[in-house]
Amino acid sequence: HVQLVESGGGAVQAGGSLRLSCATSGIADRDYCMGWFRQAPRLPREAIATLYLGGGRPFYADAIQGRFSISHDTSTNTLYLQMNNLKPDDSAIYYCVAEPAPGYTEYGSPFRHESEYSYWGQGTQVTVS
């Protein structure tokens, strides 16, 4: 049973940085896609960064390209999202997601649609003023 627990959200001024963490359990191998979605008030949930744990190029949304970086620490089974140069438009609830990807390879593009992910964390609030 996969469980995802986010932490690291908070309030920060524009131009500042935050690092979100997602502690995972129940993920025993690298055949998973994982990532981060966010949802701002009155807006649909959107994928901002995803990756395949087996390797390959991560996906980044255009809105955060060059400012955010996704990474995964295999030794601790923790997913990270480093967020730099934050803007007020980045204010949202951020969700960690995971989905098994058996047979996937590092040559494909990681899942980036909400419907492709079965496992979701409870979310962590990020507020940029």
Side-chain angles (χ1 to χ4, degrees), residues 42-95:
R42 298 175 296 281
L43 291 178
R45 200 173 292 184
E46 61 175 346
I48 55 171
T50 65
L51 54 71
Y52 171 57
L53 297 187
R57 181 177 296 181
F59 158 78
Y60 290 104
D62 289 344
I64 57 88
Q65 188 77 249
R67 299 188 295 121
F68 291 12
S69 177
I70 187 172
S71 61
H72 180 260
D73 185 333
T74 303
S75 65
T76 60
N77 276 336
T78 304
L79 186 73
Y80 296 101
L81 183 68
Q82 178 66 43
M83 306 187 294
N84 298 325
N85 191 21
L86 283 159
K87 305 176 181 180
D89 283 351
D90 295 319
S91 297
I93 299 175
Y94 284 70
Y95 298 91

